[in-house]
């Protein structure tokens, strides 16, 4: 399972890097999409580290994430809202897709990715 989690964190880091690059290029649509992918993969790591499950569904994210990390749940919900606006043209449910909200979401997701990487390190220490 550690191998699977390492793939999740790599996807999270790669997507975050892409989101930040697209944000700097004022491509908010792609930045929102990549930001959500980064957040989702980092959340997988957090949940797998805590519950040990190899598969994480959107329903599990919605029901269990708030228990272990309310701030990550809020960032997940916000990044998802921005992504569906970017990808499907839907109306905002929480935050309108604009540069300020995108910048805040990127910052929040970066923190989750950092926490997920830390969770991997802690899991490695526990298993020896």
């Amino acid at each position: 399972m550690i191998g699977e989690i390492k793939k999740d964190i790599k996807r999270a880091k790669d997507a975050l890097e892409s989101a930040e690059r697209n944000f700097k290029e004022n491509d908010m649509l792609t930045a929102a999409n990549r930001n959500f992918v980064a957040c989702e993969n980092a959340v997988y790591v957090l949940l797998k580290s805590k519950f040990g499950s190899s598969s994480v569904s959107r329903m599990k994210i919605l029901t269990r994430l708030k228990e272990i990390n309310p701030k990550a749940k809020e960032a997940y919900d916000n990044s998802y809202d921005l992504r569906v606006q970017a990808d499907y043209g839907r109306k905002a449910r929480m935050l309108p897709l604009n540069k300020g909200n995108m910048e805040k979401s990127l910052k929040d997701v970066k923190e989750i990715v950092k926490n997920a990487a830390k969770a991997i390190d802690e899991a490695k220490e526990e298993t020896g």
Side-chain angles (χ1 to χ4, degrees):
M1 187 169 83
I2 288 289
E4 188 180 314
I5 290 176
K6 283 183 180 178
K7 287 179 185 174
D8 290 333
I9 197 66
K10 180 172 179 0
R11 274 193 302 276
K13 288 177 177 179
D14 290 349
L16 180 62
E17 189 177 298
S18 177
E20 290 174 328
R21 184 175 55 250
N22 285 286
F23 178 78
K24 286 177 187 162
E25 294 170 1
N26 288 315
D27 179 356
M28 294 304 125
L29 300 181
T30 307
N33 177 284
R34 298 288 82 202
N35 187 56
F36 174 71
V37 170
C39 187
E40 185 173 53
N41 280 280
V43 162
Y44 290 163
V45 170
L46 293 174
L47 289 169
K48 288 175 184 178
S49 297
K50 179 75 173 175
F51 300 112
S53 173
S54 61
S55 69
V56 177
S57 66
R58 181 157 160 73
M59 187 51 70
K60 189 174 224 175
I61 291 170
L62 296 174
T63 59
R64 304 299 304 264
L65 184 58
K66 191 173 184 175
E67 293 172 27
I68 66 166
N69 192 326
K71 188 171 177 158
K73 172 71 166 73
E74 181 182 344
Y76 177 86
D77 290 342
N78 288 338
S79 68
Y80 179 78
D81 186 35
L82 294 170
R83 190 212 104 188
V84 295
Q85 291 171 67
D87 289 353
Y88 308 113
R90 293 192 190 151
K91 289 189 178 197
R93 290 178 53 206
M94 294 171 199
L95 300 172
L97 179 58
N98 61 41
K99 194 164 186 161
N101 287 335
M102 193 63 235
E103 187 170 33
K104 182 186 181 329
S105 184
L106 275 166
K107 183 178 166 233
D108 292 344
V109 170
K110 190 173 197 168
E111 188 66 27
I112 294 166
V113 171
K114 196 165 81 177
N115 289 339
K118 189 173 156 188
I120 291 173
D121 291 340
E122 288 170 358
K124 281 185 206 169
E125 287 174 13
E126 287 175 14
T127 58

